[in-house]
Amino acid sequence: MISEKTIDESAKPLIDKAKKDKVEIVWDRFEKQGNNCDFGKLGICCKICNMGPCRLTHPSLPLHLRVGPYATKAIKGVCGANYDTIAARNLSRGIAAGAAAHSDHGRDIAHTLLLAAEKKTSGYDINDEKKLMTLAAEFEIETAGKDKHEIAKELALAILDEFGTIKNRLQFIKRAPRVRQELWNDLGILPRGIDREIVEMMHRTHIGVDNDYTSLILQGLRTALSDGWGGSMVATELSDVLFGTPKPVMSKVNLGVLDEKMVNIVVHGHEPILSEMLAEAVEYPELVELARIEGADGINLCGMCCTANELLMRRGIHVAGNFLNQELAIVTGAVEAMVVDVQCIMPSLGEVSKCYHTLLISTSPKAKFPNAEHIEFDEARGFDIAKEIVKLAILNFKNRNPNRLSVPSNPVNMMAGFSAEAIIAALGGSLTPLIDAIKEGKIMGIVAMVGCNNPKIVQDKNHVEMTKSLIKNNVLVVETGCSAIACAKAGLLLPDAVDMAGEGLRSICKPLGIPPVLHMGSCVDISRILVVAASIANELGVDISDLPAAAAAPEWMSEKAISIGAYAVASGVYTVLGLPPAIIGSSKVVELLTGSAENYVGGKFAVESDPIKAAKMIMEVIKDKRKGLGI
Ligand code: SF4
Ligand code: MSK
């Protein structure tokens, strides 16, 4: 049943159409999987060395896996690793992979800034000089008598140094409250270098290295912190320098943003580097004219997943959808080119695009796809490559099959662009009005709603229901990634959505003309949320863990989401997951992450798949924190 797959009205007819067109999409493959591997779900299988793969028996395994020919009697791996070591190693490796993805994205942006500073690119320059100067001051770069390119070069080099092993302390850590920095230092989880923590995590999880689950998890938290306060923050801040710091902007969202009469180009993935050039190229007069010659009304650029969020935040470019919408965009039969870079791009897209006329174009040297055309991106020729891609899309317009064309109508209006700077500007220049509203109880607290879609959950349902419940209880919700797109599709990212909010929250948002749910950007932009949380804590003279704040990832699926959850907890934030990570085979790892973690770092995980119950759990924590602050 389609209602068990999605609540997105623009997606529903296309799920039907995929079936009619005999195109296999994500829900079909999910169904074919049947039950997930029971050992995998519990996190008690290990394939770290070739004495395995090892799997351990467990009372919660189904009978046929405990008795009989497929059963295992082992309670330890061949090397002697127990439940706790195996579960902790698996989880920590997931954190390392997620942190690597975010941080390598950050490194690419830093590298682009360096090339732009050296004037070795085509199309890139310093866009936000104010942010450049703020960051230069933060990195103690002497600016007197230097031009912006010299300063940008020094900043890019200083930031590239954050990835290495010499400095021994990430610069952005200083943004956290001093008590938090001391706590991280005392626990031995203060991140030293971005690559260093990821590499050390991989080293520690090699066979026969770190075999103590607490020690593994602590290094997992340090690795995650090197993402949130390191790689992700680098990606956000330097993207702002290159492409501008977001300001409130109106846009449209859902698969209805595709236009039957236009050449449709969908950018999908995560990095703004190529997509920013494409946004310029679609306005290039010769290409606009070529589109007309080819019989189209014009060129329609729209986005998918976090590349969408990057373009939306800075340019108001329309958003076609979030993670589970990616194949459906092609199923419309109206997409001339889907241009992808890295992360969250389904390997199935090439197969799906073969069923229509869509060109799937991969662009990153790090990410190639079956059945895709590869046009490798190079910053030195950025604008030229973007024009080449747009031209290919235009020339593909004539290959559309009108009998396979079906674009949903009714895109939804939305507001985005809430960087930390934009929130402060909307509040009149400081966070004080927000802090006062929290103190007075008009705003009970702040919740960061983040993360993906997952076919295990009806698409968008938990993001939307949980958000609605929280705003009704006067909680300001800040969102990023696919969560923000989910709520945008449901109309929650509009100033009018204050009518769904409680009286207190409404009384704050309405006069400011802002929605009760603020879109803060892509997944790496969760670092913007950390900055706001740290600023509020600093203003109040408390730690982040004292704030009436929480985080939630109700439909998470990626390793990046594991890293995000881990740095939220390590930063002192109560974090509710809609689905459990694969650790439940180790009661000790579960207890550490959902219980005693709070004694160490002031934050902990909880798991609840019912969005209303999850919202209630968060409200309880928010009330407790308010009590703790005496407000
Ligand atoms: Fe098995 Fe140990 Fe090798 Fe893992 S590391 S596969 S538990 S022997
Ligand atoms: S894109 S990591 S599916 S949020 Fe950032 Fe969406 Fe999750 Fe990817």
Side-chain angles (χ1 to χ4, degrees):
M1 277 221 320
I2 287 188
S3 60
E4 287 165 6
K5 293 178 179 158
T6 185
I7 61 162
D8 176 350
E9 292 302 329
S10 74
K12 287 177 181 173
L14 291 164
I15 295 175
D16 265 340
K17 182 174 188 285
K19 197 167 188 182
K20 272 188 228 130
D21 291 353
K22 297 193 170 39
V23 178
E24 187 185 73
I25 54 172
V26 59
W27 288 280
D28 305 314
R29 295 188 297 272
F30 179 68
E31 233 170 83
K32 283 183 190 167
Q33 276 292 322
N35 289 330
N36 290 130
C37 165
D38 290 287
F39 295 101
K41 270 197 290 196
L42 294 171
I44 49 171
C45 54
C46 177
K47 55 182 174 57
I48 276 173
C49 91
N50 205 28
M51 292 191 285
C54 297
R55 36 186 212 148
L56 309 187
T57 187
H58 194 276
S60 53
L61 285 170
L63 195 62
H64 72 281
L65 294 176
R66 281 183 285 129
V67 187
Y70 301 109
T72 170
K73 294 193 189 79
I75 55 164
K76 284 188 180 138
V78 176
C79 66
N82 62 16
Y83 294 89
D84 313 319
T85 307
I86 290 179
R89 267 195 317 217
N90 288 341
L91 184 81
S92 307
R93 280 206 163 188
I95 293 174
H102 282 149
S103 302
D104 210 31
H105 166 172
R107 186 201 325 270
D108 284 347
I109 307 276
H111 185 63
T112 305
L113 179 66
L114 179 62
L115 292 178
E118 292 174 339
K119 301 186 183 157
K120 289 180 182 165
T121 63
S122 131
Y124 302 96
D125 205 355
I126 314 304
N127 189 306
D128 187 341
E129 238 174 280
K130 192 171 163 211
K131 184 157 261 192
L132 172 71
M133 298 309 277
T134 308
L135 289 169
E138 204 171 341
F139 278 77
E140 292 164 20
I141 292 168
E142 184 57 62
T143 55
K146 291 179 191 161
D147 81 358
K148 64 177 182 181
H149 291 106
E150 283 175 86
I151 297 166
K153 182 172 176 175
E154 283 185 44
L155 177 66
L157 289 171
I159 283 189
L160 286 167
D161 205 26
E162 295 280 293
F163 287 82
T165 56
I166 304 291
K167 238 180 115 179
N168 232 20
R169 187 187 180 100
L170 294 185
Q171 194 71 24
F172 286 137
I173 291 301
K174 286 195 180 153
R175 293 177 171 189
R178 185 171 289 276
V179 275
R180 178 99 336 225
Q181 295 177 45
E182 282 163 8
L183 183 149
W184 288 334
N185 196 36
D186 294 347
L187 275 175
I189 61 169
L190 194 89
R192 298 157 294 179
I194 300 164
D195 288 351
R196 175 175 188 172
E197 302 310 352
I198 295 166
V199 169
E200 186 170 316
M201 192 74 262
M202 295 308 285
H203 177 191
R204 287 200 199 198
T205 51
H206 185 276
I207 179 180
V209 186
D210 195 353
N211 291 303
D212 177 86
Y213 75 95
T214 308
S215 168
L216 283 161
I217 296 291
L218 285 173
Q219 175 60 19
L221 297 184
R222 176 151 62 173
T223 307
L225 287 170
S226 82
D227 170 358
W229 297 86
S232 283
M233 212 168 264
V234 164
T236 296
E237 297 289 21
L238 297 191
S239 293
D240 286 354
V241 171
L242 280 167
F243 308 120
T245 302
K247 298 185 184 77
V249 65
M250 293 303 293
S251 187
K252 288 184 189 297
V253 62
N254 84 21
L255 289 155
V257 304
L258 296 167
D259 190 324
E260 269 192 28
K261 295 190 178 135
M262 311 257 275
V263 171
N264 291 300
I265 302 174
V266 179
V267 281
H268 175 24
H270 276 78
E271 296 182 354
I273 298 174
L274 165 67
S275 51
E276 279 285 332
M277 287 302 107
L278 284 167
E280 298 284 336
V282 294
E283 289 180 358
Y284 193 63
E286 278 170 35
L287 290 169
V288 175
E289 184 52 27
L290 181 63
R292 294 220 172 91
I293 294 168
E294 290 295 310
D297 280 4
I299 312 166
N300 179 34
L301 180 73
C302 49
M304 186 69 68
C305 282
C306 279
T307 302
N309 286 324
E310 295 281 353
L311 287 182
L312 163 75
M313 292 287 284
R314 298 191 179 87
R315 291 176 179 262
I317 285 187
H318 296 170
V319 177
N322 50 2
F323 182 65
L324 288 179
N325 290 127
Q326 56 186 287
E327 294 171 307
L328 298 177
I330 299 175
V331 172
T332 61
V335 175
E336 275 55 57
M338 183 172 274
V339 188
V340 301
D341 50 39
V342 290
Q343 300 168 20
C344 306
I345 303 150
M346 291 188 188
S348 62
L349 289 182
E351 282 289 323
V352 178
S353 63
K354 270 200 323 189
C355 302
Y356 302 90
H357 74 303
T358 307
L359 280 173
L360 176 67
I361 302 174
S362 57
T363 57
S364 166
K366 297 170 198 168
K368 297 190 179 170
F369 294 78
N371 298 306
E373 181 156 343
H374 189 71
I375 301 179
E376 194 147 308
F377 191 66
D378 169 8
E379 289 89 343
R381 295 181 48 245
F383 190 49
D384 291 338
I385 294 171
K387 282 191 292 183
E388 192 187 317
I389 290 173
V390 173
K391 189 172 174 187
L392 277 175
I394 295 169
L395 297 176
N396 194 26
F397 184 71
K398 59 178 170 297
N399 297 324
R400 267 190 197 180
N401 179 348
N403 301 324
R404 297 200 110 189
L405 194 64
S406 176
V407 178
S409 44
N410 300 329
V412 175
N413 291 322
M414 68 180 294
M415 188 186 246
F418 290 96
S419 57
E421 293 83 347
I423 292 175
I424 290 169
L427 291 167
S430 84
L431 286 169
T432 311
L434 176 63
I435 293 170
D436 288 347
I438 293 172
K439 283 185 188 160
E440 289 161 18
K442 288 182 178 159
I443 294 179
M444 292 296 284
I446 303 177
V447 169
M449 189 77 64
V450 303
C452 326
N453 290 140
N454 188 323
K456 290 177 179 172
I457 289 175
V458 180
Q459 184 192 12
D460 299 346
K461 184 171 178 271
N462 286 15
H463 290 296
V464 170
E465 288 192 358
M466 205 169 162
T467 301
K468 279 185 179 168
S469 174
L470 288 167
I471 60 171
K472 209 168 154 189
N473 281 292
N474 295 310
V475 170
L476 178 68
V477 179
V478 291
E479 301 197 337
T480 62
C482 289
S483 184
I485 300 175
C487 289
K489 286 188 276 179
L492 293 171
L493 270 59
L494 280 170
D496 283 352
V498 289
D499 294 338
M500 288 183 246
E503 205 183 319
L505 180 60
R506 191 163 58 234
S507 74
I508 300 297
C509 295
K510 203 159 193 154
L512 298 173
I514 60 170
V517 183
L518 302 180
H519 191 330
M520 292 192 74
S522 64
C523 296
V524 291
D525 292 338
I526 295 170
S527 61
R528 298 190 198 277
I529 303 176
L530 292 178
V531 169
V532 172
S535 308
I536 295 175
N538 285 334
E539 193 103 348
L540 289 170
V542 298
D543 196 354
I544 294 173
S545 53
D546 299 321
L547 298 177
E555 301 178 27
W556 74 278
M557 62 87 202
S558 71
E559 288 167 314
K560 290 179 291 171
I562 304 179
S563 177
I564 292 165
Y567 72 64
V569 166
S571 300
V573 180
Y574 176 70
T575 301
V576 184
L577 305 175
L579 292 157
I583 53 165
I584 37 187
S586 163
S587 51
K588 286 187 182 159
V589 173
V590 171
E591 193 289 321
L592 175 59
L593 290 171
T594 60
S596 48
E598 199 169 17
N599 306 330
Y600 290 109
V601 289
K604 64 177 179 180
F605 282 105
V607 178
E608 177 52 63
S609 59
D610 179 325
I612 305 302
K613 280 190 196 156
K616 276 194 186 136
M617 285 157 61
I618 283 180
M619 288 314 299
E620 288 309 311
V621 170
I622 283 178
K623 281 178 198 157
D624 276 357
K625 300 278 178 183
R626 293 185 66 87
K627 228 182 262 167
L629 285 174
I631 56 176

